[in-house]
Amino acid sequence: MKSAHDTADDEYTDAPSLSDQKVAGHRNAEREGKRDAAGYPKSRRGKSKDGRNVGRRRGTRERIQQVGNNDPASPQEEQEEHKTKTPRLPKRATAVLLGFCGTGCSGMQIQPNLRTIEGVLFDALVRAGAVSQDNADDPVKVGLGRAARTDAGVHAAGNLVSMKLITTIPGIKDWVGHVNSFLPPEIRVWGKVRVQNSFNARTSCDSRKYTYFFPTYLLLPPKPNTALARTLQSRSDLPTAQDASMESTPSDPHVFWNFPNIESTTPEEDLARKRTWRVGTDMVECLKTAAKRFEGTHNFHNFTVGREYSDRSNQRHMITIQVSDPAVYGDTEWISVLFHGQSFMLHQRKMMSALVLSCRTGTPSQIIDELYGPRMVMVPKMPALGLLLEYPIFETYNKRVTANNEKLKDSADPDYRPEIDFEVHREAIDDFKQKYIYDNMRNTEDRCGIFDAWIRYVDSYEGNDLTYLNQRGIIPSAAVIKKSVKRPCAFREKKRFDITSLADIKQEGPLSIEDEAADEENEEEGLSKGKLDEMEG
């Protein structure tokens, strides 16, 4: 006997057939002209009923009439059509656990005319028979939702999407392996879990874990005589609370830069030397101290876009921030920072940027607290290449289903619901991360030096937007952004630093600082609050 909450799960759908495809085309033709500008069906609220479905059971298919013949199909034709239909298959509320390398995709969420993770996955589910042809034209029909949205090029060792799926496909014993056979190797399904009807991938998620990887040479101070170095030098006569971890003062260059004719070296020569540099324990401790400032509940309005200080959605809770020990891969030393938070705002890479830029310039860690205040400043985004979604966590949901399961006799009960647990797939996930994420990330950096290009771009900035990077740890008035007031020499983000594909980076060519106006990123301009909510995770 089925419980009340399972009733809606037992929805049936026909397996794909030629006649089904004709019916879908017939329906689409009928509805053409009844859609709004966005392509969604227009509401019929307030309009008179046209009586099309009078006396018919909901979900019954319409008869297909012969082209050019207004007479209904003959009884014999109806019988033949009925014989060709396959049995209707039940759909279940299902959570799909997956991982992916985001290179070459325009983010997680489905977007028209763009290759996205969800788009590739949904297409594979349709071809595998887990989504019927009736629902193949619109993921909304099966209630597609996601636990975490990722930006273009960002990777995920674990993420979760939920929808109504056909979980028992005729003739298929290994559902996961069958679906994976329709996916490219850089996108993998780890497993599927039957979930409660009330399950919502985003709102049922308690927290998420992200890791950011970057070469330790980003912690080197600016090269002497760069624009940012001159800005720091000009403010060096102010009262200072310089962090003890700094190996230099503005008037005494860091040992890495302290040799004759350093200003005449090329970026390529500098990068070769940077990759042989190894970070000291004092600088790692500086990074850990600053990272602890993120823990707890704070107003993160300066670490996203399009949010006013008074917006309540800026309040986010970071559970833990962990800085790993550095490790050498090839010639380059890398370090990672793990962020475990309840939720993250759009462009969370700004948090990493604040950590790195404050440590490398000797700015006291108290600047992080200053950035939670009402004054708005410009915090650049770190490159997308280093960001990885580890996995979402469903602790509250798991406790609920465990409590329900304890009341049942065994797992064969139709009301039984397993916990959502990525750790049972740990071995497969770790192998995937190494082959498709870590190796790809390091190879891209080795061949293109994207992190070095980013830090040189930051160091070339000559305006006042970054003057909060100073030895006093306060935000000067020159760095404050005022609404509707145009700033001279405003810092501009570069779209190229959102690219993670090696081929796309090469196509961009060498970074041209002078060409920033043609390459600046303005995607945050004009985003509505609802759109921002949708883009966060």
Side-chain angles (χ1 to χ4, degrees), residues 152-176:
V154 174
H155 316 302
N159 201 353
L160 181 147
V161 296
S162 60
M163 66 189 93
K164 291 286 186 74
L165 292 175
I166 299 169
T167 56
T168 303
I169 303 172
I172 300 300
K173 294 182 179 180
D174 181 4
W175 190 95
V176 171

Side-chain angles (χ1 to χ4, degrees), residues 7 16 21 63 66 109 163 193 222 243 260 268 287 290 315 394 419 428 463 468 519:
T7 303
Q21 297 175 19
R63 293 185 177 91
Q66 294 180 351
Q109 194 170 354
M163 66 189 93
V193 177
D243 196 289
E268 292 75 18
L287 198 65
Q315 297 291 329
F394 298 86
E419 293 185 0
Y468 59 84
D519 191 32

Side-chain angles (χ1 to χ4, degrees), residues 79-96:
Q79 291 177 5
E80 290 177 357
E81 180 186 341
H82 180 73
K83 290 179 181 178
T84 61
K85 290 183 179 180
T86 54
R88 304 184 72 188
L89 303 175
K91 295 182 295 182
R92 311 293 190 190
T94 307
V96 177

Side-chain angles (χ1 to χ4, degrees), residues 50 218 231 503:
D50 56 14
L218 290 188
T231 298

Side-chain angles (χ1 to χ4, degrees), residues 281-292:
T281 56
D282 49 359
M283 184 60 79
V284 174
E285 287 304 314
C286 172
L287 198 65
K288 291 180 178 179
T289 299
K292 286 294 179 183

Side-chain angles (χ1 to χ4, degrees), residues 376-388:
M376 182 181 295
V377 301
M378 172 63 196
V379 180
K381 292 183 300 182
M382 289 277 280
L385 181 62
L387 186 60
L388 166 68

